[in-house]
Amino acid sequence: MAERVIPLVDQRLAALSAVLPGHPVAATGLLADKLGRPLRDLRISVTDRCNFRCSYCMPKEVFDKDYKYLPHASLLSFEEITQLARQFLAHGVQKIRLTGGEPLLRKNIEVLIEQLAALRTVEGKSPELTLTTNGSLLARKARSLKAAGLQRVTVSLDGLDDAVFRQMNDVDFPVAEVLEGIAAARAAGLGPIKVNMVVKRGTNHDQVLPMARHFRHSGIVLRFIEYMDVGATNGWRMDEVMPSSEVRDLIDAEFPLVALPASTPGETAQRWAYADGGGEVGFISSVTQAFCGDCNRARLSTEGKLYLCLFASNGYDLRSLLRGGTSDAELASAIGQIWQGRGDRYSELRSTMGPDSAAGGGRRVEMSYIGG
Ligand code: SAM
Ligand code: SF4
Ligand code: SF4
């Protein structure tokens, strides 16, 4: 049995202050960080709550009935999220992903989607607007999400065997309802749909082939994610990580695969296709194959902190600026300066620093708080 690590400090309380730069950083869409990486992808966590207790993300022992979730007043309002998103788009963001926690638990999420869908990129186009969900509420919400302007969804599903899946989500949630959610999303036009499966050796690795068989020829892109050492509560151990190369070999032995080129710079998944035309699969290898070199993702936490890396221990407090009456130009300037100072590349450094460290030293925040 893996030893559970219970956090002694609440990392959400720590914040780096976001200051207004002496010299304005104009939003030109050409922003680059210290390693020359642009800002293209914004992930917004809209709630830190979830109705699942996946052991790799929100283990029951920590996220129990006494766990203190953020009070409503500290959450960014929809208007605040939209105001910030507008500045990120001015700096070159092309894609916005809503996440959490479980984003579909945030009340009236469709209202936020409508507001975000009305924004424009620097080129005057609609941003790509997508959402990652555990699928539990999708059957009920797919049509209203589409009507509000959501373009696509990514659904997390860790297996097809009902017993394994119920154990993974740890709230006894049945597979069938997630599959219904995926079907509803497809019927509503929320595609192309992606399905994410976290592979944990010893827990659900025997689900790799059933999942591959199920989603081949479906038009849905199945992506296998290496179990990551995010946060500080999941008791992560390297021997529970099943490297993507192993998952790929397993599939390739039954259904030969051919490599595909990356479709966009900074893409998280390595893309492969079934040689027989059965569609595409992806591998997200953030443990065994670091991909920080072109990481163009920023994360906005539920309470408005800007995180420059999934493994960061601190975020920059944009909410204080927002609520302090800062102008849009000043907000853009502050975001620009923070991004210009970014040098994070945790996955590349993991091997030298060891998995227990955070990108900037200190304890890492939980994935449910900053979003995946
Ligand atoms: N609740 C939604 C869901 O599960 O899709 C959105 C938030 S969840 C934090 C986003 C993604 O992060 C999910 O696909 C989940 O499987 C993944 N994830 C969470 N913890 C992880 C870990 N330790 N390693 C790898 N992926 C993880
Ligand atoms: Fe909830 Fe998603 Fe985390 Fe599972 S992975 S506990 S569904 S936030
Ligand atoms: Fe990006 Fe940090 Fe992940 Fe590297 S470790 S790819 S910098 S989020």
Side-chain angles (χ1 to χ4, degrees), residues 49-54 56-58 100-102 133-134 156 368:
R49 290 166 195 259
C50 188
N51 53 344
F52 282 14
R53 285 293 174 276
C54 308
Y56 52 73
C57 178
M58 295 181 75
E102 174 45 44
T133 172
N134 62 25
S156 304
S368 51

Side-chain angles (χ1 to χ4, degrees), residues 16-343:
L16 299 165
S17 49
V19 288
L20 296 177
H23 301 286
V25 181
T28 57
L30 300 172
L31 191 64
D33 72 6
K34 282 205 281 198
L35 303 174
R37 298 170 296 188
L39 173 52
R40 294 284 178 265
D41 184 329
L42 177 64
R43 300 180 176 205
I44 304 173
S45 173
V46 293
T47 177
D48 60 341
R49 290 166 195 259
C50 188
N51 53 344
F52 282 14
R53 285 293 174 276
C54 308
S55 58
Y56 52 73
C57 178
M58 295 181 75
K60 249 182 187 164
E61 298 86 333
V62 177
F63 295 86
D64 59 11
K65 62 177 179 20
D66 297 324
Y67 185 80
K68 299 259 180 304
Y69 292 97
L70 297 169
H72 193 74
S74 62
L75 267 52
L76 290 187
S77 68
F78 291 164
E79 287 66 29
E80 288 171 330
I81 292 175
T82 305
Q83 192 183 349
L84 282 177
R86 190 179 293 115
Q87 309 318 318
F88 279 94
L89 287 165
H91 276 302
V93 161
Q94 305 282 325
K95 178 167 156 189
I96 297 177
R97 175 179 298 281
L98 300 181
T99 177
E102 174 45 44
L104 298 186
L105 287 181
R106 179 88 185 244
K107 221 170 146 198
N108 301 325
I109 185 81
E110 293 86 350
V111 174
L112 173 64
I113 291 170
E114 269 171 28
Q115 291 178 11
L116 295 175
L119 299 178
R120 291 294 171 262
T121 65
V122 183
E123 297 82 18
K125 293 194 282 197
S126 293
E128 227 185 297
L129 192 52
T130 173
L131 175 149
T132 305
T133 172
N134 62 25
S136 58
L137 300 169
L138 204 47
R140 230 175 295 167
K141 285 192 159 259
R143 282 170 60 184
S144 60
L145 293 170
K146 177 70 185 180
L150 189 69
Q151 293 162 6
R152 298 192 287 108
V153 285
T154 297
V155 182
S156 304
L157 178 62
D158 295 331
L160 283 178
D161 179 279
D162 203 44
V164 172
F165 183 63
R166 285 175 193 257
Q167 188 199 340
M168 290 291 279
N169 64 56
D170 215 8
V171 293
D172 216 24
F173 198 87
V175 171
E177 287 191 37
V178 178
L179 294 177
E180 274 168 36
I182 293 173
R186 192 208 282 268
L190 286 169
I193 297 171
K194 290 179 184 156
V195 167
N196 279 352
M197 170 180 178
V198 174
V199 186
K200 214 173 156 188
R201 199 195 292 281
T203 308
N204 68 336
H205 68 272
D206 63 348
Q207 294 300 298
V208 167
L209 282 174
M211 287 283 283
R213 289 181 197 125
H214 183 85
F215 288 107
R216 267 165 51 80
H217 293 290
S218 69
I220 290 173
V221 178
L222 174 60
R223 305 187 315 166
F224 298 94
I225 306 182
E226 285 178 349
Y227 169 40
M228 286 188 286
D229 48 331
V230 281
T233 59
N234 63 11
W236 183 87
R237 295 191 337 216
M238 186 65 201
D239 59 3
E240 289 180 320
V241 177
M242 183 150 164
S244 290
S245 55
E246 218 178 304
V247 178
R248 205 178 55 230
D249 287 349
L250 199 64
I251 298 173
D252 186 60
E254 185 165 327
F255 307 111
L257 294 170
V258 285
L260 292 174
S263 55
T264 48
E267 194 166 58
T268 45
Q270 289 129 13
R271 302 168 60 223
W272 291 70
Y274 292 110
D276 66 356
E280 188 180 322
V281 276
F283 298 93
I284 301 178
S285 321
S286 27
V287 177
T288 61
Q289 236 184 312
F291 48 79
C292 303
D294 49 9
C295 176
N296 53 23
R297 297 178 285 283
R299 292 177 161 82
L300 187 60
S301 79
T302 317
E303 52 178 348
K305 285 187 216 154
L306 170 58
Y307 284 84
L308 302 176
C309 175
L310 184 53
F311 298 92
S313 54
N314 282 304
Y316 293 84
D317 182 10
L318 296 181
R319 191 188 62 190
S320 293
L321 287 186
L322 265 177
R323 295 189 180 170
T326 309
S327 72
D328 279 358
E330 288 170 330
L331 275 176
S333 209
I335 292 168
Q337 191 189 44
I338 293 167
W339 190 263
Q340 283 175 339
R342 176 184 188 245

